[in-house]
Amino acid sequence: MDETVAEYIRRTVLKIPRDEIKMMLQKWGFLSEAQLETLNFHQTKDNISQEVVQLCEENSADIKQAAVLDIIYNHIYQNKRMWSVYQMKKSGEELEYFDITDFRKKFKRRLRSALKNVTITFKEYEDNAIWIRVAWGTPYKPPNQYKPSYVVYHSQTPYVFISASVLKSNMPLLCQALIVASNYHDIREMELRSHSLNSLKDIVFKRYSQNFQTYTTKPLQGGKVEPENADIRIVQENIKEKERIHRLNQEVFGSGPQPKIEFAQYRLETMFKSDPKMDVLDKKEPFRCLVKFSSPHLLESLKSLAPAGMADAPLSPLLTCIPHKARNYFKIREKKGLFPESFVSP
Amino acid sequence: HLATSLPLPSERDHLRPRIDLVVFMIDIKSKYSLKNVETSLAHVDASFFLGKVCFLVTGVGRVNACSIETNAICKLGEAYCSPVLFCELELEGIRVVTAQRLLRMLQICAGHIPGVSALSFVSLMRNSDDD
C-alpha cells in the first residue's frame, strides 16, 4: 500500500472522535467485521489509527477507498465546513431522465480532460443526495488529498451545494464539469452561505415553515402570549402590545424552527444622510460601509429581538427577507429616482 | 401591574385599582433602560414622590456588564427624593429579600402599618453626610 495513502487514512481516523470510530469504519465497509473485532477501541487514538492502517494494508487499500472514508466523515460532520449554494439553469423545459452512471461518466471525463491529476469520488445517500469529493493536483503535482472540495447535488433540483477547498482557482472547472454532467447550460453562485448544510437545503427547497398572509378583519384570538407565570395577581398593562408583537413575529417568521445561518452581510453603497447643517461629508460620493450580523443562530435571534424588547416590531424587511430571498449577502445601493431610498440589488 | 413604560394604556383605566407604590426597574446593563425610566418619570403625578416611588436597580451582580454609573442613578434618586434599591435577580436569596423589602414598603404606602406612612421614607432619605 502506498505510504501517502497509509498516512492519509491514519490522519482521517485521527480526526474521528474515539467513540465514533467503530461506527464509521462499519459504514465504510472496507474492513470486514472479523477485522473490526480485532481492533481495541479502548486505547489511544494514535494506537487505534495505527492498527486501522495495518488492517487496511492487509486489504491493500488505495486512495479511492480512503477517499470514501473521508466522504463519510464529512457527511456526518458536514456542519464543520462552510457551504455555498449554486443554481443551475436549463435552456429548455425538457424533462430528462436522470441517469447516475451517465452523470458520473460525464463529470469525470470533463474534469480529467482539463486536469489529469484529480481524485474524484462519488457516494450516494438515501435522500437523493449525491456527494462528490474532488482532490486537486496540477499538471506536475499529484492531487492534494488534504484540501479537497465537496459537492452535494440533489438530482431532481437545480441546486448544488459546494464546500470549496482553499484552492479557489479550480472553481470554474468544477462548475463546468457539473453543468456538462447534469445537462444544464449555466450555473451561478447564489449569495447564500452557511455552515449548516441542512438549513441551506431547507431554504432553497422551501422546507421551512412559512407563513402565508391571511386576511382577517379582526386580530386572531390565537395570538395569545403564553403566560410565564400563571399567577393571576400579576397584570400585564401592555398585553396588547405584546400580542401585537407576537402576531407580527408569527406572520414574518412562521411558527416553526428557523433555518440555521450564522451571519448576514450588507454591503452599503449609499449616500451618507446627515443634517445639512452638520456638513459632515463634502464629497457627494456613496459612503461605503459593510454591516455584518453574526450569531450562532441568526434567524432565531432576529425572531426573539422584538419579544425581548430589544427592537421594534416589525423588523426591517432587509433582515426578515433572508429565507424568502434565499440570500444572506446583500448589496444596497441608492435608488435613482425622485425619492432616493435604498434599493437591494439582485 | 407590570408595564414597559409610562404612561399606562388608557383603555385599561377602569380596570386598575388605586396605585400605592411605583417601582421603576433599571437594568444596570442597559443604558436604554435608564433612558426609558427617565422619560416615564415625567408622566408620574407629583404627589407620588412623597414616598410612593422607588428605584430598583437590577443586574448589579455582573460587575463587568455595567453600562450605567451608580453615581448617575443615585443622583436620580436624590433628584426625585426616592429611595434606590440595588439587587441581583439571578440570585434567588437576594431576589427573595428584595421582594420582602418591597412588600414591606408597599404595606406602609398602602397604609396597612399604623403609625408609619410613606412620608417616613422621605425623612430616611437624608444622607448621613448632610448632618
Side-chain angles (χ1 to χ4, degrees):
Chain A
M1 190 167 76
D2 197 334
E3 252 180 46
T4 51
V5 175
E7 181 61 12
Y8 184 67
I9 295 178
R10 192 185 74 85
R11 293 230 206 147
T12 308
V13 174
L14 276 178
K15 278 199 293 192
I16 310 172
R18 197 162 60 155
D19 309 330
E20 319 216 343
I21 298 180
K22 183 166 189 191
M23 176 265 294
M24 275 205 220
L25 291 177
Q26 282 170 331
K27 276 203 160 79
W28 188 31
F30 179 67
L31 301 172
S32 69
E33 269 301 320
Q35 283 175 310
L36 288 177
E37 289 299 316
T38 66
L39 283 170
N40 173 13
F41 293 103
H42 297 292
Q43 51 185 336
T44 62
K45 277 214 287 191
D46 238 350
N47 294 343
I48 299 177
S49 62
Q50 298 283 15
E51 284 185 17
V52 170
V53 169
Q54 277 197 302
L55 291 174
C56 291
E57 182 90 48
E58 287 170 21
N59 292 14
S60 315
D62 66 13
I63 192 60
K64 285 211 253 291
Q65 278 100 14
V68 172
L69 181 62
D70 184 48
I71 291 191
I72 293 172
Y73 172 80
N74 279 286
H75 177 254
I76 294 179
Y77 289 100
Q78 52 192 237
N79 296 344
K80 284 195 173 194
R81 306 190 71 94
M82 177 66 88
W83 297 91
S84 309
V85 189
Y86 288 72
Q87 187 176 22
M88 298 193 285
K89 284 201 182 68
K90 256 202 213 310
S91 40
E93 272 304 318
E94 326 98 54
L95 292 163
E96 283 161 24
Y97 172 68
F98 179 77
D99 182 16
I100 179 75
T101 356
D102 193 47
F103 175 82
R104 288 160 73 137
K105 217 168 46 170
K106 285 197 184 148
F107 184 83
K108 278 199 270 213
R109 192 167 54 195
R110 191 70 172 88
L111 263 193
R112 292 224 167 95
S113 70
L115 193 59
K116 294 252 179 331
N117 283 331
V118 279
T119 310
I120 307 172
T121 322
F122 296 87
K123 186 157 171 59
E124 289 146 68
Y125 282 91
E126 313 79 44
D127 56 347
N128 273 325
I130 303 165
W131 278 61
I132 313 173
R133 175 186 180 277
V134 183
W136 307 92
T138 70
Y140 314 104
K141 286 196 293 198
N144 183 345
Q145 301 297 339
Y146 296 92
K147 297 207 168 119
S149 305
Y150 298 89
V151 177
V152 179
Y153 174 48
H154 284 251
S155 53
Q156 305 305 317
T157 75
Y159 296 104
V160 186
F161 305 89
I162 302 183
S163 175
S165 70
V166 196
L167 314 160
K168 292 232 160 66
S169 55
N170 295 306
M171 279 310 286
L173 195 52
L174 184 60
C175 291
Q176 268 280 305
L178 280 167
I179 46 180
V180 164
S182 55
N183 291 318
Y184 281 82
H185 86 274
D186 195 15
I187 185 169
R188 70 165 187 112
E189 184 175 4
M190 294 174 69
E191 300 286 349
L192 183 61
R193 266 158 239 144
S194 173
H195 281 282
S196 168
L197 181 60
N198 275 336
S199 291
L200 290 175
K201 291 187 192 182
D202 285 345
I203 292 175
V204 293
F205 300 156
K206 305 253 180 254
R207 298 195 297 215
Y208 62 98
S209 73
Q210 300 171 75
N211 236 19
F212 299 98
Q213 289 252 294
T214 50
Y215 289 98
T216 48
T217 47
K218 284 191 303 189
L220 295 167
Q221 287 298 339
K224 276 271 185 300
V225 180
E226 280 152 34
E228 291 138 27
N229 355 317
D231 193 335
I232 47 167
R233 292 177 296 178
I234 299 175
V235 176
Q236 297 272 3
E237 289 285 342
N238 306 101
I239 194 121
K240 263 207 167 149
E241 179 65 12
K242 280 192 159 67
E243 282 175 355
R244 182 190 78 98
I245 291 176
H246 184 79
R247 189 169 37 89
L248 279 175
N249 241 26
Q250 291 284 83
E251 273 174 23
V252 169
F253 291 99
S255 44
Q258 300 293 309
K260 189 165 188 212
I261 56 167
E262 298 85 38
F263 48 88
Q265 187 173 292
Y266 299 84
R267 193 173 284 279
L268 299 176
E269 287 170 14
T270 51
M271 304 294 282
F272 187 75
K273 292 187 181 72
S274 72
D275 193 345
K277 287 181 265 179
M278 281 169 65
D279 197 26
V280 177
L281 282 182
D282 296 338
K283 299 180 243 174
K284 291 292 167 202
E285 262 175 28
F287 189 72
R288 287 168 209 279
C289 166
L290 189 75
V291 179
K292 186 170 177 177
F293 293 88
S294 46
S295 159
H297 198 320
L298 185 67
L299 294 177
E300 279 295 339
S301 47
L302 289 177
K303 184 175 175 180
S304 52
L305 276 180
M310 299 182 93
D312 292 329
L315 286 178
S316 161
L318 284 172
L319 291 169
T320 56
C321 71
I322 292 171
H324 310 305
K325 292 214 161 146
R327 64 186 302 172
N328 56 349
Y329 283 75
F330 297 83
K331 238 194 223 151
I332 303 176
R333 287 195 220 100
E334 284 294 338
K335 190 172 178 181
K336 290 192 173 67
L338 285 170
F339 305 103
E341 288 161 24
S342 43
F343 153 75
V344 183
S345 78
Chain B
H1 285 239
L2 297 175
T4 53
S5 63
L6 295 178
L8 295 174
S10 53
E11 56 265 12
R12 297 180 61 89
D13 279 343
H14 59 288
L15 296 168
R16 232 172 271 129
R18 184 190 72 201
I19 296 176
D20 290 315
L21 177 65
V22 181
V23 180
F24 287 96
M25 294 180 68
I26 303 173
D27 184 357
I28 207 165
K29 304 191 285 300
S30 160
K31 284 199 173 79
Y32 172 73
S33 166
L34 181 61
K35 231 173 26 158
N36 190 19
V37 163
E38 281 170 348
T39 33
S40 299
L41 278 164
H43 295 280
V44 177
D45 187 69
S47 60
F48 277 92
F49 294 106
L50 295 169
K52 294 196 176 173
V53 169
C54 155
F55 296 99
L56 180 65
V57 183
T58 65
V60 298
R62 296 197 179 272
V63 183
N64 293 339
C66 287
S67 280
I68 309 173
E69 304 232 343
T70 37
N71 219 9
I73 300 174
C74 291
K75 279 213 168 58
L76 190 68
E78 278 170 26
Y80 286 92
C81 294
S82 302
V84 182
L85 300 179
F86 293 87
C87 78
E88 173 53 73
L89 293 177
E90 289 182 40
L91 297 171
E92 197 189 330
I94 301 185
R95 209 167 56 221
V96 169
V97 164
T98 310
Q100 285 169 339
R101 286 174 84 177
L102 288 172
L103 200 55
R104 199 68 177 145
M105 287 172 68
L106 180 59
Q107 281 174 322
I108 294 171
C109 291
H112 289 190
I113 312 285
V116 188
S117 83
L119 287 171
S120 325
F121 293 133
V122 180
S123 56
L124 290 170
M125 284 291 298
R126 280 255 184 86
N127 212 330
S128 51
D129 293 344
D130 288 350
D131 295 337

